[in-house]
Amino acid sequence: MDELFTGEQERASTETAKCPSCGADLVYDPETRGLKCPYCGTEEEIAGKKCSEIDLEELFAARANTWATETKAFRCENCGAQTVISKNEISKCCAYCGASNIIETEGMSGMRPDAVLPFALTKEEAGKSAATWAKKRFFAPRKFKQSLTVPENINGNYTPSFTFDANAHGRYSGRLGKYYYETRTVNGKRQQVRKIRYFAISGVYDAFYDDVLVQASEKISQKDLNKIQPFDTNSSQKYSPDYLYGFSATQYTRDGKTCWEEAKGIMWAKLRTQILSKYSYDVVEKFSMTVSYDNVTYKYVLLPLYIGHFSFKEKLYNFFVNGRNGRTTGKVPISPLKVALVVLAGLAVIAGIVAICLLGGNS
């Protein structure tokens, strides 16, 4: 992938921040939004600066802005996850599966991020959010819920994503339908017959989209990421390695060009919904639209995720927690008995409706 340059080249730091009091490594602390010594409690502020938007053309330009000078990359031999950590830190386990068989890779750590949305929740707060979420899963077994405690194996990991701003200009045409009813006499009985009255539409529609978010890693799906949104990406800070101390980051597997194409699809769908909302209709027979985009900007931003798992009957069930608001998604065990009862209840309702219809027809 073409690498990105976002302004004046910065001299990359390769040293972990040291505590001025005891000499231990400082880590990023979500509570204070600064650096903190885990041993003596010394705190240091991070001179944060809000990240600005970057012209899309910079994303497609051939630049040499590698992240490798200040990070190192690891690959998990168990699940294949590739993560990066600060140069002088030691990675003990995989953030995704918890496996310890990870190896340092010679590959590039990838493109240096433009922005980072720092963690705002602590690991303990994320664990409580995950446990609360899991207890509300209807199909989860009762024994699983009763055994739930705040999970201990949680890792803070930044997931890569791209956000896009754009003015979208749509030119559309289509044919919509509206239901109406006519009364007819069939076999001596009066009945309501539904029909459709069609009408043509066409026009132009403009809209501005702010921070359309596209996931750049395959380790968490766009669907799962959407479940724990929003991420307040307009609050993202200009990237600094300080935010990575004590955390890891996932390498991107989908480059900026690929993510831009997906973002255009998201904006196209949003524009279609906005246009159709102007009309009163019941059926879309056909709809076509061409869209152009201008004043497009982007950010390559790291989003804060807590990744962990629940253990039940010797199986692991992963979950993801938004490191800003605590929203959680993931997997929990499913009770076959609960599923069977819901299916039987549904069949009973259907049978009741059929019986009512048959009795009504015979009356």
Side-chain angles (χ1 to χ4, degrees), residues 33-93:
R33 310 289 177 92
L35 297 177
K36 186 175 183 178
C37 178
Y39 298 98
C40 69
T42 297
E43 298 179 1
E44 284 192 0
E45 292 184 1
I46 296 177
K49 182 179 179 182
K50 190 173 181 179
C51 179
S52 57
E53 298 287 334
I54 306 166
D55 191 275
L56 185 67
E57 293 302 315
E58 292 289 334
L59 184 61
F60 303 145
R63 307 290 185 181
N65 186 26
T66 176
W67 205 11
T69 54
E70 58 189 287
T71 60
K72 51 187 176 183
F74 286 86
R75 182 182 73 251
C76 175
E77 295 294 272
N78 184 51
C79 71
Q82 297 190 68
T83 58
V84 294
I85 62 174
S86 182
K87 196 78 171 183
N88 289 358
E89 290 191 62
I90 299 175
S91 184
K92 297 179 180 179
C93 65

Side-chain angles (χ1 to χ4, degrees), residues 100-120:
S100 59
N101 54 330
I102 58 175
I103 60 173
E104 188 169 356
T105 65
E106 296 297 327
M108 300 284 282
S109 298
M111 187 172 71
R112 191 177 194 270
D114 306 303
V116 58
L117 187 60
F119 280 88

Side-chain angles (χ1 to χ4, degrees), residues 121 183 225 292:
L121 298 182
T183 302
L225 194 70
S292 60

Side-chain angles (χ1 to χ4, degrees), residues 118-137:
F119 280 88
L121 298 182
T122 65
K123 184 182 295 187
E124 291 73 20
E125 290 171 327
K128 291 178 181 179
S129 294
T132 300
W133 168 83
K135 288 178 180 179
K136 293 180 179 179
R137 301 305 95 190

